[in-house]
Amino acid sequence: MSEKNVDPKTFDGVHRCICGFCSTGSCQLLETVENGKIIKVEPDWESPFNPGPYCQKWKYSVEYIYHRDRPMYPMKRIGKRGEGKWQRISWEQAFSEIADKMKEIVAKYGAESTCGFHGTGRAANIGKGLAKFFAALGSPNFASAAAQT
């Protein structure tokens, strides 16, 4: 919401939304927002694309979004692997370090040494974008669990 410069309080109310927890990505839900925060999610029973009685993943969406352990910012490991020592860094620093490391790998080992993978199609456009990224990098190595990529 901050990207659109929207006051979170003006977004309060009940809104239709789409679940993104599985590969269909099409179950329609209703989210209740108070003070700019989602407080409740439930199936949109008026929609023919509701989750029905079988899928219960939507029940955990509020916890998933606001879980205290969910990373909200780029983090850089500052200790040894497995020590659990991390430092918050800026998005600019994260992208710059990733780009520098990718350039180093390609220069040293060739683009074919890189590989991308996309999971179960929760956001097919992300997979297509990743496939194009690796192709532009010069790597044919991209795989996906999603049928549409």
Side-chain angles (χ1 to χ4, degrees), residues 96-114:
S96 178
E97 289 188 22
I98 291 167
D100 290 345
K101 189 64 175 180
M102 291 289 290
K103 289 176 189 174
E104 178 186 325
I105 291 168
V106 169
K108 190 171 183 179
Y109 303 106
E112 297 84 7
S113 67
T114 64

Side-chain angles (χ1 to χ4, degrees), residues 20 22-25 115-134 141-149:
C22 74
S23 60
T24 64
C115 178
F117 183 82
H118 179 259
T120 59
R122 287 179 189 88
N125 292 333
I126 292 172
K128 290 175 183 173
L130 281 173
K132 288 180 181 182
F133 170 79
F134 281 95
N141 303 319
F142 180 78
S144 173
Q148 65 266 44
T149 300

